[in-house]
Amino acid sequence: MTEHPNDPVVEMTNAAVAIAGRPVLRTVDLRVDAGEFVALMGANGSGKSTLVRALTGLRPLATGSVRLFGTPLADFDDWQRVGFVPQRGGAGSGVPASVWEVVASGRLPRRRLLRPLGRQDRRAIDAALEVVGLADRARDGVSSLSGGQQQRVLIARALAGEPELFFLDEPTAGVDLPNQQVLADTLATLSSRGATIVLVAHELGPMAPLIDRAVVMRDGRVAYDGPPLASEEVATAHLDGHQHHHPEPARHDHAPHIASVIEGDGR
């Protein structure tokens, strides 16, 4: 690993992505430091979800580069440090499974092939379920849950791997307000424990008070990178002569590095 203490956790430089020959991202630069909570915002089709997929290696770059924890993406193999929560498509993916089984699959990056779950694995799974408020539904079938609860299962699955960096792709889309609030409370807990969070959102809702920095995408480019914005300001946000604002995060007292973001206080 080539990581150094002052390296950004996420660094994208001059990145472009094309899908079926059509440019989707164009010359994008982005930096996220340890402990930041960054919201990627913009209209549908602006490129924000493609940006997250490029950052996690799910979409190849046409040009440019990505580094995670100071390491070029092509050389990065420490995926247990990264959690990805996709857009909701059903946590069970059509397979009959309990909540506990889906969350347990999040331990795979930390386990040797075919090794059974150990005590530490089970503690991490139980702690993840506790954080998202689903400990009492652990043995229920995922298909019996509401859409918002299924989204919380996906977050718990990512949490179970004890990552330091979270990417969440529109976790509140189609989720009712009570479940949005639970999701916000969950992310507030992770943020207070030092996690770095990159959140794709069309609207922030209850997440708004958590955000350190907003990055607004428009036509595949970064239109704004600076202090948090109200949802109604996103459509007109623009760079004001500086390519990227990068204020020091002021909303949270983050730890620069964390052993586990789901270690409870006394849990």
Side-chain angles (χ1 to χ4, degrees), residues 18 22 55 102 104 138 206 247:
R22 181 175 63 88
L55 291 171
V102 172

Side-chain angles (χ1 to χ4, degrees), residues 51-70:
L51 175 54
V52 161
R53 290 180 169 274
L55 291 171
T56 54
L58 296 173
R59 280 286 180 196
L61 297 181
T63 62
S65 65
V66 171
R67 287 176 172 264
L68 297 178
F69 297 99

Side-chain angles (χ1 to χ4, degrees), residues 137-159:
R137 305 295 301 270
R139 300 301 171 186
D140 292 355
V142 171
S143 59
S144 71
L145 302 184
S146 71
Q149 289 169 328
Q150 289 189 19
Q151 188 63 48
R152 284 152 59 189
V153 172
L154 294 177
I155 291 176
R157 182 177 67 183
L159 260 176

Side-chain angles (χ1 to χ4, degrees), residues 54 68 97 109 119 141 252:
L68 297 178
R119 188 175 302 169
H252 311 296

Side-chain angles (χ1 to χ4, degrees), residues 206-218:
M207 310 278 186
L210 308 176
I211 305 303
D212 293 318
R213 187 170 131 231
V215 174
V216 177
M217 299 295 295
R218 188 173 300 130

Side-chain angles (χ1 to χ4, degrees), residues 193-216:
R193 295 175 185 175
T196 304
I197 300 173
V198 178
L199 169 74
V200 176
H202 187 63
E203 293 185 350
L204 294 174
M207 310 278 186
L210 308 176
I211 305 303
D212 293 318
R213 187 170 131 231
V215 174
V216 177

Side-chain angles (χ1 to χ4, degrees), residues 100 103-104 107 117 120-130 160:
W100 197 92
V103 175
R107 291 298 293 175
L117 289 167
Q120 184 176 348
D121 296 316
R122 293 177 183 278
R123 274 200 301 263
I125 294 162
D126 291 343
L129 285 165
E130 194 74 39

